[in-house]
Amino acid sequence: MIEARRLHILRAVADHRTVTAAAAALYLTPSAVSQQLAALEQETGHRLVERGAKGVRLTPAGEILLSHTNAVLAQLERAEAELAAYSSGAAGTVTVASFATGIVLVVAPAVARLATTAPGIRIRVQDAEGDASLPMVLDRQVDVAVAVEYRGAPAADDPRLTHVPLYAEPFDAVVPVTHRLADAVEVPLAELAKDSWIGPYPGNPCHDVVVLACENAGFQPRMEHSSDDFRAVVALASADAGVALVPRSALRGMDLAGVVVRPVDGTAPTRRVFAAVRRGAEEHPLIRPVLDALGAAARV
């Protein structure tokens, strides 16, 4: 009989590519992970992983088991949801990981809404970028992620996750008031090809959006300054240090003295935001109200 706990460890190793990283995500020791993998191989009668200089990869037998693992773990999530519904336990804690603007736009309003509609649900919020929050859901560190689509992100049909679209918003061009395009009604990105740029660090989903938009305009942006805090990005632009693309909602309530904000000419780069939970958990009586509240906040 295959133990579900060991299947979860197998998936973590497949996701993180090293035993050490999987162990850290699961709050286990590397030796404990290795022992569980060895026990799983004994249970199945197959070698499931191969270790190399660059980490761990699954064998063909391991890939077969992983495809079933995603279905099994999703079904277990559904079982937990139904049992929780049976016991009508609409009281408990749900942990939500979100990037900062997402907290402002949808998470905080959802918390306020739930205080009235589901007072038994307590929300714990963690600030995390989208590229970090999705692995946190898969590793069961949080229950819900509010994340951004980015290159390399799990697709909407990923068997491990259920996606719930929330909202989409354009990026606007932010240029110093002294910039040659400060009086333009819209800013053509191609006209910024020779400028210095300010933007998030690589790995931040917004970095991918900016770089991809510039590539589509025919150039690679020359990133002179990096910050994941859009207030810092705007402050640097106001100091004439460069130009930037910033999500429209991130500019709300910000000091924009010294900069001009303009729409992008043509098709604007867009930040698409969604909530994600482990597949099968979306109907859990604690998680369903949270997803509904996030959706209601996004519609507002």
Side-chain angles (χ1 to χ4, degrees), residues 136-157:
M136 291 168 72
V137 169
L138 291 171
D139 293 334
R140 304 182 72 88
Q141 297 172 7
V142 301
D143 303 301
V144 181
V146 175
V148 179
E149 289 183 5
Y150 61 95
R151 287 189 288 189
D157 60 353

Side-chain angles (χ1 to χ4, degrees), residues 17-42:
R17 301 296 181 185
T18 70
V19 168
T20 301
L26 298 174
Y27 299 103
L28 297 172
T29 64
S31 61
V33 169
S34 295
Q35 290 170 7
Q36 292 300 317
L37 287 175
L40 185 58
E41 289 180 327
Q42 186 174 6

